[in-house]
Amino acid sequence: MKESDQSPPQQNGVAQTSPTHYSSITPPAPEEEPISTYFEEKIPVPEDVTQVFSFRKLWAFTGPGFLMSIAYLDPGNIESDLQSGAKAGFKLLWVLLGATIIGLLLQRLAARLGVVTGMHLAEVCNRQYPTVPRIILWLMVELAIIGSDMQEVIGCAIAFNLLSVGRIPLWAGVLITIIDTFVFLFLDKYGLRKLEAFFGFLITIMALSFGYEYVRVAPNQGEVLKGMFVPYCEGCGPVQLEQAVGIVGAVIMPHNIYLHSALVKSRQVDRASKKEVKEANKYYFIESSIALFISFLINVFVVAVFAEAFYDKTNMEVNQQCNETGSPHTDLFPLNNETLQVDIYKGGVVLGCFFGPAALYIWAIGILAAGQSSTMTGTYSGQFVMEGFLNLRWSRFARVLLTRSIAIFPTLLVAIFQDVQHLTGMNDFLNVLQSMQLPFALIPILTFTSLTSIMNDFANGLVWKIGGGVTILLVCAINMYFVVVYVTALNSVLLYVLSALLSVAYLCFIGYLVWQCLIALGVSCLDVCGRVRNPPTVLIEEEPEFDS
């Protein structure tokens, strides 16, 4: 580890704070950093490279972005992809592209916060927000993590069921996910680079699995490109609109913002040097762009396969095809002319019916890789969030046991007492749950990356403030629409009343976060208490140019 990492600047390097609400942040000394297995070692960055761009340095920074990109490939995303293709054909690929680009910009903010401050988003929230908002934020993010974990459990259980030709029932697949998660989590004892390589291996499995389906189905490449770059949706109705909203909700995940801001702390960066911080931000952005480009291609594979093969297919057509191939799952498709409704379970079945058993098994392998990888990153998210918000240092075993138990209990009940359609139907509710949690990640990340008292020279400029604010407003509005559509479809007066009461409390808290964010963005007229006037100055003796 570098000397600068071992002993951060003292005296002049300590922030000179004034009595403001938003205090300046000095990166914690190593002995004060939360104990986390992911950071038992830090990857050194080559120093003997002087050129503008270096593949050696890019390789040193490669890892966190790929772990972050796993959230863009979890079973919930895969289900959203295949439903998009089956319901709208290629017409919503541009929505997927736009959501991925927005995700990249938000991940950039998360990475910058971690690199510049040496602290992740949960730790910054812990230092900057009062106790009550901090606890509420923690609970909301925990809900998002648990919801994501449930989707991963569902995906893994379905994959085990498909791979075993039904010999492993869904409830048994749910129980297996308890064991395999603990086994995989011990991999990080073999070193950080090996752990990152294993995640890369799982992404490769997904790329090969879903890439095989893409080649096997051979979708029209012209239609793929048209759907990706021409923002149109000819002949679309409410079903396609809801699916477009669902794509945004599935791609941008709240806990992933917290995760990425923590993962970037795993490299040795001298935060007293403006040059090194700027360089780290550059390489992390390049690495994240590459990782999300790969995840985007994998998502495109899934959308295109179902758009080409199953768009506008009826249950009758699929039933007949499955009968001809001797599939044991023919009863999943009633004998009627209604449009085919698919999920990750039915998706594997119809691929097997139309393209042979190999397509079914390879699909299941891809789903299993998606579930296992996202399970592990979800566990790290939970650990960082708990340590940051509560300053509570739990062992990995205790942390996994808690969140996995909460996720498995309702999933297991549905798997035992209901069928696979009810199990996969839980994904709709879980997507709504995660959509509701998005503001609790997006608003804080824009708030803190816009404050010079926290980010110094790396605070968001005017373009990023305006663009970030508009983007977050758009994403939140889209997801609120998704929530309203879901709630109104419940057809229950009692649920309407309950939803209305919860909505009032929910919107009040979001209003508080927005108020704080607008002050940080420079709307000084809202700062009625004078909380962020005269932001503190950070003085660093070694790098005078770093003064704010």
Side-chain angles (χ1 to χ4, degrees):
M1 189 177 291
K2 294 180 184 178
E3 182 66 24
S4 56
D5 280 340
Q6 292 176 350
S7 53
Q10 303 296 325
Q11 298 175 353
N12 290 340
V14 175
Q16 307 297 311
T17 60
S18 60
T20 63
H21 178 61
Y22 289 116
S23 61
S24 128
I25 287 181
T26 299
E31 62 269 15
E32 296 173 348
E33 288 192 13
I35 299 170
S36 173
T37 53
Y38 187 81
F39 301 129
E40 284 181 356
E41 62 173 309
K42 290 199 175 185
I43 306 301
V45 178
E47 297 182 2
D48 57 343
V49 180
T50 57
Q51 56 261 45
V52 175
F53 177 81
S54 165
F55 282 103
R56 287 181 59 207
K57 287 199 172 185
L58 178 60
W59 177 248
F61 284 106
T62 297
F66 282 88
L67 269 68
M68 168 274 296
S69 72
I70 294 286
Y72 291 74
L73 296 168
D74 71 349
N77 271 290
I78 301 302
E79 181 155 318
S80 174
D81 292 337
L82 64 90
Q83 289 177 348
S84 171
K87 292 179 180 179
F90 301 98
K91 298 174 185 177
L92 296 180
L93 279 172
W94 63 273
V95 178
L96 177 63
L97 176 61
T100 304
I101 292 173
I102 291 173
L104 173 62
L105 299 179
L106 295 172
Q107 299 298 160
R108 175 187 181 271
L109 294 181
R112 284 172 69 87
L113 180 71
V115 170
V116 173
T117 67
M119 303 175 66
H120 56 74
L121 180 56
E123 291 174 309
V124 177
C125 288
N126 181 34
R127 295 196 178 196
Q128 301 299 325
Y129 283 126
T131 302
V132 173
R134 183 170 71 242
I135 296 300
I136 296 175
L137 269 178
W138 169 67
L139 291 173
M140 293 299 100
V141 178
E142 288 287 359
L143 274 178
I145 293 171
I146 291 168
S148 175
D149 207 26
M150 288 178 68
Q151 289 183 312
E152 291 141 14
V153 170
I154 292 169
C156 290
I158 288 173
F160 285 128
N161 183 269
L162 290 173
L163 287 171
S164 65
V165 198
R167 293 188 181 91
I168 298 179
L170 292 172
W171 62 266
V174 170
L175 292 176
I176 290 173
T177 62
I178 301 176
I179 302 169
D180 61 16
T181 300
F182 286 107
V183 172
F184 283 125
L185 280 174
F186 284 106
L187 285 170
D188 62 1
K189 289 295 183 183
Y190 291 96
L192 180 56
R193 277 311 224 182
K194 290 184 176 64
L195 177 68
E196 292 174 346
F198 180 71
F199 278 98
F201 172 69
L202 292 175
I203 293 174
T204 302
I205 289 177
M206 284 184 269
L208 293 176
S209 299
F210 300 129
Y212 167 84
E213 310 287 358
Y214 186 84
V215 172
R216 181 72 179 82
V217 174
N220 185 311
Q221 301 303 304
E223 289 297 318
V224 171
L225 293 175
K226 181 181 178 183
M228 195 180 302
F229 296 109
V230 180
Y232 82 113
C233 196
E234 184 180 352
C236 291
V239 173
Q240 288 75 25
L241 177 60
E242 290 175 24
Q243 189 57 48
V245 173
I247 290 172
V248 179
V251 167
I252 304 173
M253 313 205 46
H255 66 278
N256 210 35
I257 305 294
Y258 289 86
L259 174 67
H260 197 196
S261 66
L263 294 176
V264 296
K265 293 168 57 180
S266 60
R267 268 54 180 176
Q268 289 183 10
V269 177
D270 181 5
R271 293 181 178 85
S273 168
K274 182 177 179 180
K275 178 183 177 183
E276 285 200 26
V277 171
K278 187 175 181 180
E279 185 177 68
N281 285 329
K282 177 181 75 173
Y283 283 107
Y284 274 133
F285 182 68
I286 294 172
E287 185 238 6
S288 297
S289 301
I290 296 171
L292 289 187
F293 176 72
I294 293 172
S295 73
F296 172 70
L297 288 182
I298 294 173
N299 284 316
V300 168
F301 290 161
V302 178
V303 174
V305 164
F306 284 83
E308 180 70 28
F310 306 114
Y311 176 51
D312 267 351
K313 279 282 192 304
T314 64
N315 286 322
M316 182 78 74
E317 292 175 284
V318 177
N319 185 291
Q320 291 174 352
Q321 182 66 29
C322 289
N323 262 325
E324 292 175 8
T325 56
S327 170
H329 305 290
T330 307
D331 58 326
L332 290 173
F333 312 102
L335 291 170
N336 58 44
N337 285 319
E338 293 182 9
T339 304
L340 173 67
Q341 300 290 324
V342 287
D343 49 46
I344 53 177
Y345 183 80
K346 285 184 179 179
V349 171
V350 295
L351 284 171
C353 291
F354 280 80
F355 301 103
L360 186 152
Y361 295 126
I362 291 174
W363 169 263
I365 290 171
I367 294 296
L368 183 61
Q372 291 297 339
S373 55
S374 51
T375 289
M376 295 166 68
T377 54
T379 300
Y380 281 117
S381 299
Q383 187 171 348
F384 296 141
V385 164
M386 182 172 285
E387 289 174 351
F389 276 110
L390 305 182
N391 199 24
L392 184 61
R393 301 174 184 178
W394 278 23
S395 68
R396 287 175 307 152
F397 181 85
R399 172 70 211 183
V400 177
L401 188 62
L402 174 65
T403 53
R404 184 42 58 101
S405 298
I406 295 173
I408 278 182
F409 181 70
T411 311
L412 186 60
L413 289 179
V414 175
I416 292 174
F417 297 108
Q418 298 290 342
D419 54 21
V420 68
Q421 278 129 336
H422 287 87
L423 189 64
T424 55
M426 288 178 68
N427 275 329
D428 292 333
F429 169 75
L430 295 172
N431 280 335
V432 171
L433 178 67
Q434 299 209 68
S435 296
M436 293 183 67
Q437 312 312 317
L438 263 176
F440 305 124
L442 304 190
I443 297 174
I445 195 64
L446 180 62
T447 300
F448 298 133
T449 55
S450 298
L451 285 167
T452 54
S453 57
I454 291 175
M455 298 292 289
N456 302 295
D457 286 356
F458 295 96
N460 294 330
L462 182 61
V463 172
W464 270 96
K465 287 179 181 179
I466 296 175
V470 171
T471 298
I472 289 173
L473 180 64
L474 176 65
V475 170
C476 291
I478 288 173
N479 283 283
M480 289 305 100
Y481 173 82
F482 185 37
V483 172
V484 170
V485 168
Y486 181 84
V487 171
T488 53
L490 296 176
N491 295 322
S492 169
V493 176
L494 179 62
L495 290 175
Y496 291 160
V497 173
L498 180 61
S499 299
L501 293 175
L502 291 175
S503 296
V504 171
Y506 176 80
L507 292 174
C508 286
F509 184 59
I510 289 182
Y512 169 80
L513 296 178
V514 169
W515 172 55
Q516 297 291 319
C517 184
L518 289 174
I519 294 174
L521 292 177
V523 186
S524 56
C525 61
L526 297 177
D527 189 14
V528 293
C529 301
R531 292 187 170 190
V532 291
R533 292 175 187 166
N534 303 318
T537 303
V538 176
L539 301 175
I540 296 180
E541 191 172 76
E542 294 89 337
E543 292 281 347
E545 63 175 351
F546 197 40
D547 294 347
S548 59

